[in-house]
Amino acid sequence: MAGVGDEIRLYLRARVALIVLVTIEEQRAVEILDDVRRERDPNADLVVWDIAEHFTSAARPPAGHRPLPETGDPGTALDKIKELAAKSPDRRDLYVLKDFHEFWARDPRIRRKLKTLAQQLVYTGASLIVIAPTRTVPVELRNDAVVVELPLPTAPQLRAELDALIDSTAGVRTQLGEPGRAKLAQAALGLTVAQAKRAFAKAIVRDGALDDRGLDTVLQEKKAVVRESGALEFHPVEESPDDVGGLDALKRWLTLRERAFSAEATTYGLPAPKGLALIGIPGTGKSLTAKMIGGLWRLPLLRLDVGALFGSLVGESEERVRLAIQLAETVAPCVLWIDEIEKALAAGGLDGGTSQRVFGTILTWMQEKTAPVFVVATANDVAAMPPETLRRGRFDEVFFLDLPTERERREIIAVHLRKRRRDPEAFDVHHLAQISDGFVGAELEQSVIDAMYHAFAEDRDVRTADLTEALLRTVPLSRSQREVIEHLRAWLRQGRAQPASTAPDRRDQSGRGPGLELDLDLDRPGDGPRDPNRPGDGLRDPDGWGGELH
């Protein structure tokens, strides 16, 4: 139990009389405090008070145990602690208070008594420790109290709990060797000790033995617990780079960092990458790319719902942010996906500053974090984002996902045909890519689905003609939201991001890349080559936009 126990011992030696231990694991906290008490003074007592059981001694063994008063009133309990400490000022007892965050939040009398008692205990050997699930401390107590957070258990601690459970369970059959047990304990990271033991026991009871199937049981339990946290949820990492069409520059960047979280990279002297921002046109595959990163790097993928961070109670939003960050760091190395970050973190002044505090907490953590948590933030509207969001140091790179080129559209159409068990070779994919100029990946996928529904209704297999008809019926976003897309492309042309695609088929003969200014005429998609003798036609976009390059 090193770490937190050592920190508490240091505060006790410094005569800090009021410590707030932040955790939801009361039993584990009491065990740590009992270890601290025993090492500090075996003859001291560990006295616990709560509103149901009143005063009890948690010392093992209860050396120096005395008759304890009987009271369920929190104010009277503080008076009794004062009396006990005054009778034996040299005793180094620890008084643990449970549920006191409820009382000090609504009763100024309790806050006053607690403050006075903490100041008086400085001159005795006794100390107060409040176990609370939140780090919100009343302003009156902040000068006298220190806040210590109990982190979630580490893999070695969970491994010890697993071994103890196996040894104490009669008749359990285990087929897990040393690597298997270590892997199971690693899978339980992010769970409390009680949650992990429950998951291990569930695996034993359900399967009749502890083997590789227990890993799935633990992961399912972990997903449920993380989901209950409100803001985080696990996503399956089923996508691979083959499931994402185009984006070759982005894929190359990710592939170079595939072993970024390995021990070899650390030994080589490389720091863990911080994160990636994906900006671009809606439907171009930003969310799919975030899912693909988890699969490519074989890391757990957590999705942060920033909107779910906000609560109605004072301090609740900040507490949810803290818990989400703690969970992500415990599960690390992992990928943390923040989808449409601009909608949740846009600056606003109608919520008493809560959104700014939440936003500031996340940005500060992204800048200062040392845990191997790779943040992938996606956004459609850069204008709605505070300018400091995309600053270097928070993200390793910012990529812009543009409208797919003809080559990329061929890849995307082929991907979605394969996903639906169709051979792309049986379709004229080249023709489909030509007539889908200006379509984003999501529109291409939906066109494939619409064509298949049409063919299914006629009890036959889908054909190129069905796909052609579906594409021609669709009005792409590049036409219906032309101004929005041009605004995003203008942002890219200012050099604020790297293009996610090298797009060699989009370059003109001077070799200039995606930074070209386009005078788009989106009403003439794919109208074929134009006469080079006509003004402007010699600089026509080779990708079929029908616009002129300047």
Side-chain angles (χ1 to χ4, degrees), residues 305-337:
D305 183 358
V306 186
L309 292 174
F310 296 93
S312 57
L313 302 178
V314 176
E316 185 178 4
S317 302
E318 292 84 347
E319 186 63 25
R320 289 182 182 179
V321 173
R322 184 193 65 81
L323 177 59
I325 290 174
Q326 183 187 44
L327 277 172
E329 291 188 337
T330 304
V331 175
C334 65
V335 177
L336 181 64
W337 169 30

mmCIF file of all heavy atoms in Angstrom, residues 305-337:
data_model
loop_
_atom_site.group_PDB
_atom_site.id
_atom_site.type_symbol
_atom_site.label_atom_id
_atom_site.label_comp_id
_atom_site.label_asym_id
_atom_site.label_seq_id
_atom_site.Cartn_x
_atom_site.Cartn_y
_atom_site.Cartn_z
ATOM 1 N N ASP A 305 -17.451 11.467 -23.301
ATOM 2 C CA ASP A 305 -18.630 12.272 -23.620
ATOM 3 C C ASP A 305 -18.566 13.536 -22.772
ATOM 4 O O ASP A 305 -18.966 13.541 -21.607
ATOM 5 C CB ASP A 305 -19.904 11.477 -23.315
ATOM 6 C CG ASP A 305 -21.169 12.232 -23.701
ATOM 7 O OD1 ASP A 305 -21.065 13.384 -24.167
ATOM 8 O OD2 ASP A 305 -22.264 11.669 -23.532
ATOM 9 N N VAL A 306 -18.038 14.609 -23.332
ATOM 10 C CA VAL A 306 -17.816 15.824 -22.555
ATOM 11 C C VAL A 306 -19.142 16.407 -22.086
ATOM 12 O O VAL A 306 -19.232 16.990 -21.001
ATOM 13 C CB VAL A 306 -17.020 16.861 -23.373
ATOM 14 C CG1 VAL A 306 -16.664 18.058 -22.520
ATOM 15 C CG2 VAL A 306 -15.763 16.235 -23.931
ATOM 16 N N GLY A 307 -20.189 16.238 -22.872
ATOM 17 C CA GLY A 307 -21.497 16.744 -22.444
ATOM 18 C C GLY A 307 -21.981 16.088 -21.163
ATOM 19 O O GLY A 307 -22.649 16.729 -20.341
ATOM 20 N N ALA A 308 -21.622 14.805 -20.962
ATOM 21 C CA ALA A 308 -22.047 14.096 -19.754
ATOM 22 C C ALA A 308 -21.246 14.508 -18.529
ATOM 23 O O ALA A 308 -21.571 14.094 -17.412
ATOM 24 C CB ALA A 308 -21.921 12.585 -19.963
ATOM 25 N N LEU A 309 -20.198 15.302 -18.709
ATOM 26 C CA LEU A 309 -19.406 15.755 -17.570
ATOM 27 C C LEU A 309 -20.155 16.774 -16.729
ATOM 28 O O LEU A 309 -19.890 16.929 -15.538
ATOM 29 C CB LEU A 309 -18.091 16.384 -18.048
ATOM 30 C CG LEU A 309 -17.061 15.453 -18.685
ATOM 31 C CD1 LEU A 309 -15.905 16.280 -19.230
ATOM 32 C CD2 LEU A 309 -16.562 14.434 -17.682
ATOM 33 N N PHE A 310 -21.098 17.468 -17.327
ATOM 34 C CA PHE A 310 -21.733 18.576 -16.636
ATOM 35 C C PHE A 310 -22.882 18.076 -15.763
ATOM 36 O O PHE A 310 -23.784 17.385 -16.230
ATOM 37 C CB PHE A 310 -22.241 19.617 -17.637
ATOM 38 C CG PHE A 310 -21.131 20.266 -18.411
ATOM 39 C CD1 PHE A 310 -20.739 19.774 -19.644
ATOM 40 C CD2 PHE A 310 -20.446 21.343 -17.886
ATOM 41 C CE1 PHE A 310 -19.701 20.356 -20.352
ATOM 42 C CE2 PHE A 310 -19.406 21.933 -18.581
ATOM 43 C CZ PHE A 310 -19.034 21.436 -19.809
ATOM 44 N N GLY A 311 -22.818 18.420 -14.476
ATOM 45 C CA GLY A 311 -23.855 18.056 -13.523
ATOM 46 C C GLY A 311 -24.525 19.293 -12.954
ATOM 47 O O GLY A 311 -24.040 20.421 -13.080
ATOM 48 N N SER A 312 -25.647 19.064 -12.280
ATOM 49 C CA SER A 312 -26.441 20.183 -11.774
ATOM 50 C C SER A 312 -25.939 20.702 -10.436
ATOM 51 O O SER A 312 -26.222 21.839 -10.062
ATOM 52 C CB SER A 312 -27.906 19.756 -11.632
ATOM 53 O OG SER A 312 -28.013 18.625 -10.769
ATOM 54 N N LEU A 313 -25.190 19.877 -9.688
ATOM 55 C CA LEU A 313 -24.742 20.274 -8.363
ATOM 56 C C LEU A 313 -23.425 21.047 -8.448
ATOM 57 O O LEU A 313 -22.631 20.845 -9.365
ATOM 58 C CB LEU A 313 -24.564 19.049 -7.471
ATOM 59 C CG LEU A 313 -25.816 18.181 -7.278
ATOM 60 C CD1 LEU A 313 -25.490 16.977 -6.415
ATOM 61 C CD2 LEU A 313 -26.955 18.998 -6.655
ATOM 62 N N VAL A 314 -23.197 21.901 -7.456
ATOM 63 C CA VAL A 314 -21.967 22.683 -7.411
ATOM 64 C C VAL A 314 -20.774 21.742 -7.223
ATOM 65 O O VAL A 314 -20.756 20.912 -6.322
ATOM 66 C CB VAL A 314 -22.014 23.711 -6.266
ATOM 67 C CG1 VAL A 314 -20.676 24.443 -6.164
ATOM 68 C CG2 VAL A 314 -23.157 24.696 -6.468
ATOM 69 N N GLY A 315 -19.792 21.872 -8.101
ATOM 70 C CA GLY A 315 -18.604 21.030 -8.015
ATOM 71 C C GLY A 315 -18.750 19.664 -8.647
ATOM 72 O O GLY A 315 -17.764 18.934 -8.765
ATOM 73 N N GLU A 316 -19.964 19.299 -9.066
ATOM 74 C CA GLU A 316 -20.173 17.960 -9.621
ATOM 75 C C GLU A 316 -19.461 17.789 -10.957
ATOM 76 O O GLU A 316 -18.878 16.734 -11.230
ATOM 77 C CB GLU A 316 -21.680 17.699 -9.797
ATOM 78 C CG GLU A 316 -22.005 16.278 -10.249
ATOM 79 C CD GLU A 316 -23.499 16.036 -10.364
ATOM 80 O OE1 GLU A 316 -24.271 17.002 -10.174
ATOM 81 O OE2 GLU A 316 -23.891 14.890 -10.651
ATOM 82 N N SER A 317 -19.489 18.819 -11.798
ATOM 83 C CA SER A 317 -18.839 18.722 -13.103
ATOM 84 C C SER A 317 -17.336 18.547 -12.951
ATOM 85 O O SER A 317 -16.722 17.706 -13.624
ATOM 86 C CB SER A 317 -19.140 19.986 -13.930
ATOM 87 O OG SER A 317 -20.530 20.168 -14.089
ATOM 88 N N GLU A 318 -16.728 19.338 -12.079
ATOM 89 C CA GLU A 318 -15.293 19.227 -11.859
ATOM 90 C C GLU A 318 -14.918 17.856 -11.318
ATOM 91 O O GLU A 318 -13.890 17.288 -11.677
ATOM 92 C CB GLU A 318 -14.822 20.320 -10.894
ATOM 93 C CG GLU A 318 -14.904 21.730 -11.455
ATOM 94 C CD GLU A 318 -16.284 22.344 -11.310
ATOM 95 O OE1 GLU A 318 -17.244 21.605 -11.006
ATOM 96 O OE2 GLU A 318 -16.409 23.577 -11.504
ATOM 97 N N GLU A 319 -15.790 17.283 -10.449
ATOM 98 C CA GLU A 319 -15.525 15.959 -9.894
ATOM 99 C C GLU A 319 -15.607 14.881 -10.973
ATOM 100 O O GLU A 319 -14.824 13.927 -10.989
ATOM 101 C CB GLU A 319 -16.532 15.664 -8.779
ATOM 102 C CG GLU A 319 -16.272 14.370 -8.024
ATOM 103 C CD GLU A 319 -14.944 14.382 -7.293
ATOM 104 O OE1 GLU A 319 -14.449 15.484 -6.965
ATOM 105 O OE2 GLU A 319 -14.401 13.297 -7.068
ATOM 106 N N ARG A 320 -16.538 15.024 -11.899
ATOM 107 C CA ARG A 320 -16.662 14.056 -12.995
ATOM 108 C C ARG A 320 -15.446 14.120 -13.916
ATOM 109 O O ARG A 320 -14.989 13.087 -14.406
ATOM 110 C CB ARG A 320 -17.942 14.322 -13.780
ATOM 111 C CG ARG A 320 -19.218 13.974 -13.034
ATOM 112 C CD ARG A 320 -20.448 14.218 -13.894
ATOM 113 N NE ARG A 320 -21.672 13.923 -13.179
ATOM 114 C CZ ARG A 320 -22.894 14.070 -13.698
ATOM 115 N NH1 ARG A 320 -23.025 14.513 -14.947
ATOM 116 N NH2 ARG A 320 -23.960 13.779 -12.989
ATOM 117 N N VAL A 321 -14.949 15.321 -14.157
ATOM 118 C CA VAL A 321 -13.732 15.459 -14.962
ATOM 119 C C VAL A 321 -12.572 14.749 -14.290
ATOM 120 O O VAL A 321 -11.819 14.005 -14.922
ATOM 121 C CB VAL A 321 -13.390 16.950 -15.192
ATOM 122 C CG1 VAL A 321 -12.042 17.084 -15.873
ATOM 123 C CG2 VAL A 321 -14.458 17.615 -16.042
ATOM 124 N N ARG A 322 -12.425 14.975 -12.992
ATOM 125 C CA ARG A 322 -11.340 14.344 -12.241
ATOM 126 C C ARG A 322 -11.435 12.824 -12.304
ATOM 127 O O ARG A 322 -10.441 12.124 -12.514
ATOM 128 C CB ARG A 322 -11.380 14.810 -10.781
ATOM 129 C CG ARG A 322 -10.233 14.297 -9.929
ATOM 130 C CD ARG A 322 -10.507 14.515 -8.467
ATOM 131 N NE ARG A 322 -11.646 13.737 -8.016
ATOM 132 C CZ ARG A 322 -11.569 12.441 -7.696
ATOM 133 N NH1 ARG A 322 -10.432 11.796 -7.801
ATOM 134 N NH2 ARG A 322 -12.643 11.800 -7.299
ATOM 135 N N LEU A 323 -12.655 12.292 -12.142
ATOM 136 C CA LEU A 323 -12.838 10.842 -12.170
ATOM 137 C C LEU A 323 -12.541 10.284 -13.558
ATOM 138 O O LEU A 323 -11.903 9.233 -13.690
ATOM 139 C CB LEU A 323 -14.271 10.489 -11.758
ATOM 140 C CG LEU A 323 -14.643 9.005 -11.804
ATOM 141 C CD1 LEU A 323 -13.733 8.193 -10.895
ATOM 142 C CD2 LEU A 323 -16.108 8.804 -11.413
ATOM 143 N N ALA A 324 -13.003 10.984 -14.605
ATOM 144 C CA ALA A 324 -12.748 10.514 -15.968
ATOM 145 C C ALA A 324 -11.260 10.484 -16.274
ATOM 146 O O ALA A 324 -10.746 9.525 -16.864
ATOM 147 C CB ALA A 324 -13.491 11.401 -16.972
ATOM 148 N N ILE A 325 -10.540 11.524 -15.863
ATOM 149 C CA ILE A 325 -9.098 11.569 -16.087
ATOM 150 C C ILE A 325 -8.399 10.467 -15.301
ATOM 151 O O ILE A 325 -7.487 9.799 -15.807
ATOM 152 C CB ILE A 325 -8.552 12.964 -15.707
ATOM 153 C CG1 ILE A 325 -9.028 14.013 -16.721
ATOM 154 C CG2 ILE A 325 -7.034 12.944 -15.634
ATOM 155 C CD1 ILE A 325 -8.654 15.435 -16.348
ATOM 156 N N GLN A 326 -8.844 10.251 -14.065
ATOM 157 C CA GLN A 326 -8.240 9.203 -13.241
ATOM 158 C C GLN A 326 -8.451 7.830 -13.872
ATOM 159 O O GLN A 326 -7.532 7.002 -13.907
ATOM 160 C CB GLN A 326 -8.836 9.234 -11.839
ATOM 161 C CG GLN A 326 -8.205 8.217 -10.888
ATOM 162 C CD GLN A 326 -8.923 8.143 -9.562
ATOM 163 O OE1 GLN A 326 -10.154 8.128 -9.513
ATOM 164 N NE2 GLN A 326 -8.172 8.100 -8.476
ATOM 165 N N LEU A 327 -9.644 7.579 -14.378
ATOM 166 C CA LEU A 327 -9.916 6.294 -15.023
ATOM 167 C C LEU A 327 -9.051 6.103 -16.260
ATOM 168 O O LEU A 327 -8.483 5.034 -16.478
ATOM 169 C CB LEU A 327 -11.401 6.202 -15.401
ATOM 170 C CG LEU A 327 -12.367 5.765 -14.309
ATOM 171 C CD1 LEU A 327 -13.804 5.908 -14.782
ATOM 172 C CD2 LEU A 327 -12.096 4.330 -13.888
ATOM 173 N N ALA A 328 -8.954 7.150 -17.074
ATOM 174 C CA ALA A 328 -8.148 7.055 -18.295
ATOM 175 C C ALA A 328 -6.687 6.777 -17.957
ATOM 176 O O ALA A 328 -6.032 5.953 -18.615
ATOM 177 C CB ALA A 328 -8.283 8.329 -19.121
ATOM 178 N N GLU A 329 -6.153 7.447 -16.942
ATOM 179 C CA GLU A 329 -4.757 7.245 -16.584
ATOM 180 C C GLU A 329 -4.532 5.871 -15.969
ATOM 181 O O GLU A 329 -3.452 5.297 -16.103
ATOM 182 C CB GLU A 329 -4.309 8.344 -15.618
ATOM 183 C CG GLU A 329 -4.226 9.709 -16.270
ATOM 184 C CD GLU A 329 -3.595 10.754 -15.359
ATOM 185 O OE1 GLU A 329 -3.638 10.552 -14.132
ATOM 186 O OE2 GLU A 329 -3.057 11.750 -15.883
ATOM 187 N N THR A 330 -5.548 5.337 -15.289
ATOM 188 C CA THR A 330 -5.406 4.004 -14.706
ATOM 189 C C THR A 330 -5.398 2.935 -15.789
ATOM 190 O O THR A 330 -4.650 1.956 -15.713
ATOM 191 C CB THR A 330 -6.549 3.733 -13.715
ATOM 192 O OG1 THR A 330 -6.565 4.759 -12.716
ATOM 193 C CG2 THR A 330 -6.371 2.391 -13.025
ATOM 194 N N VAL A 331 -6.236 3.117 -16.813
ATOM 195 C CA VAL A 331 -6.310 2.148 -17.906
ATOM 196 C C VAL A 331 -5.099 2.255 -18.827
ATOM 197 O O VAL A 331 -4.756 1.314 -19.538
ATOM 198 C CB VAL A 331 -7.623 2.356 -18.698
ATOM 199 C CG1 VAL A 331 -7.692 1.451 -19.911
ATOM 200 C CG2 VAL A 331 -8.825 2.098 -17.793
ATOM 201 N N ALA A 332 -4.414 3.408 -18.804
ATOM 202 C CA ALA A 332 -3.292 3.671 -19.712
ATOM 203 C C ALA A 332 -2.267 2.536 -19.697
ATOM 204 O O ALA A 332 -2.075 1.892 -18.658
ATOM 205 C CB ALA A 332 -2.628 4.991 -19.334
ATOM 206 N N PRO A 333 -1.616 2.305 -20.876
ATOM 207 C CA PRO A 333 -1.738 3.076 -22.122
ATOM 208 C C PRO A 333 -3.063 2.816 -22.831
ATOM 209 O O PRO A 333 -3.513 1.666 -22.937
ATOM 210 C CB PRO A 333 -0.549 2.586 -22.956
ATOM 211 C CG PRO A 333 -0.269 1.213 -22.442
ATOM 212 C CD PRO A 333 -0.607 1.235 -20.986
ATOM 213 N N CYS A 334 -3.656 3.892 -23.303
ATOM 214 C CA CYS A 334 -4.942 3.779 -23.972
ATOM 215 C C CYS A 334 -5.112 4.966 -24.916
ATOM 216 O O CYS A 334 -4.310 5.901 -24.924
ATOM 217 C CB CYS A 334 -6.092 3.743 -22.957
ATOM 218 S SG CYS A 334 -6.282 5.268 -22.007
ATOM 219 N N VAL A 335 -6.164 4.895 -25.729
ATOM 220 C CA VAL A 335 -6.541 5.994 -26.618
ATOM 221 C C VAL A 335 -7.816 6.622 -26.059
ATOM 222 O O VAL A 335 -8.802 5.919 -25.814
ATOM 223 C CB VAL A 335 -6.781 5.497 -28.060
ATOM 224 C CG1 VAL A 335 -7.255 6.651 -28.950
ATOM 225 C CG2 VAL A 335 -5.522 4.867 -28.634
ATOM 226 N N LEU A 336 -7.798 7.931 -25.818
ATOM 227 C CA LEU A 336 -8.961 8.650 -25.318
ATOM 228 C C LEU A 336 -9.530 9.491 -26.447
ATOM 229 O O LEU A 336 -8.885 10.427 -26.928
ATOM 230 C CB LEU A 336 -8.570 9.544 -24.137
ATOM 231 C CG LEU A 336 -9.712 10.342 -23.492
ATOM 232 C CD1 LEU A 336 -10.734 9.408 -22.866
ATOM 233 C CD2 LEU A 336 -9.175 11.313 -22.450
ATOM 234 N N TRP A 337 -10.725 9.162 -26.860
ATOM 235 C CA TRP A 337 -11.374 9.803 -28.010
ATOM 236 C C TRP A 337 -12.384 10.839 -27.514
ATOM 237 O O TRP A 337 -13.318 10.505 -26.787
ATOM 238 C CB TRP A 337 -12.025 8.726 -28.866
ATOM 239 C CG TRP A 337 -12.951 9.209 -29.930
ATOM 240 C CD1 TRP A 337 -12.897 10.377 -30.615
ATOM 241 C CD2 TRP A 337 -14.089 8.499 -30.446
ATOM 242 N NE1 TRP A 337 -13.924 10.459 -31.527
ATOM 243 C CE2 TRP A 337 -14.667 9.310 -31.445
ATOM 244 C CE3 TRP A 337 -14.650 7.258 -30.182
ATOM 245 C CZ2 TRP A 337 -15.797 8.924 -32.152
ATOM 246 C CZ3 TRP A 337 -15.774 6.870 -30.888
ATOM 247 C CH2 TRP A 337 -16.344 7.691 -31.866
#
